[in-house]
Amino acid sequence: MAKVPSAVVAAGGIVGGYGVARWTRKRQLGGVVLVAAGAVAARQWRERAGGKAAGALTAAYVAAFAGSHPLAKKVGAWPAVFGVAGAVALASWAVADRNG
């Protein structure tokens, strides 16, 4: 079975979490998706790049989620979500996926 890159898991968690929250109108369900994907990504980051890198990438994941809210007021919800998801995916790829 092919491994899904952590960059895809992390970006998918942000986009999927927002999508689920928006389409179901239940923010808690979106939060479940966000947290579940973040946990999977954090485990992958730890396995591939070590604890310090995993901590930094997890902090970036949480910061991206938090930062998408004020960014959405300036550029719109979906552009903000895709922007922060792309930033997290790029950081994840550079730190944990590039050499794997």
Side-chain angles (χ1 to χ4, degrees), residues 3-100:
K3 289 187 177 184
V4 177
S6 62
V8 173
V9 173
I14 292 171
V15 173
Y18 176 69
V20 166
R22 182 165 178 135
W23 289 315
T24 65
R25 300 188 193 278
K26 297 195 184 314
R27 294 176 72 184
Q28 298 86 350
L29 288 178
V32 168
V33 172
L34 181 78
V35 170
V40 171
R43 185 184 45 130
Q44 289 179 321
W45 294 328
R46 188 175 22 84
E47 290 171 358
R48 295 176 186 172
K52 278 188 176 184
L57 288 168
T58 300
Y61 184 80
V62 172
F65 166 71
S68 69
H69 292 81
L71 182 60
K73 292 179 182 179
K74 296 180 187 279
V75 299
W78 279 111
V81 168
F82 285 128
V84 300
V88 168
L90 181 60
S92 181
W93 175 81
V95 174
D97 295 335
R98 177 174 40 178
N99 296 324

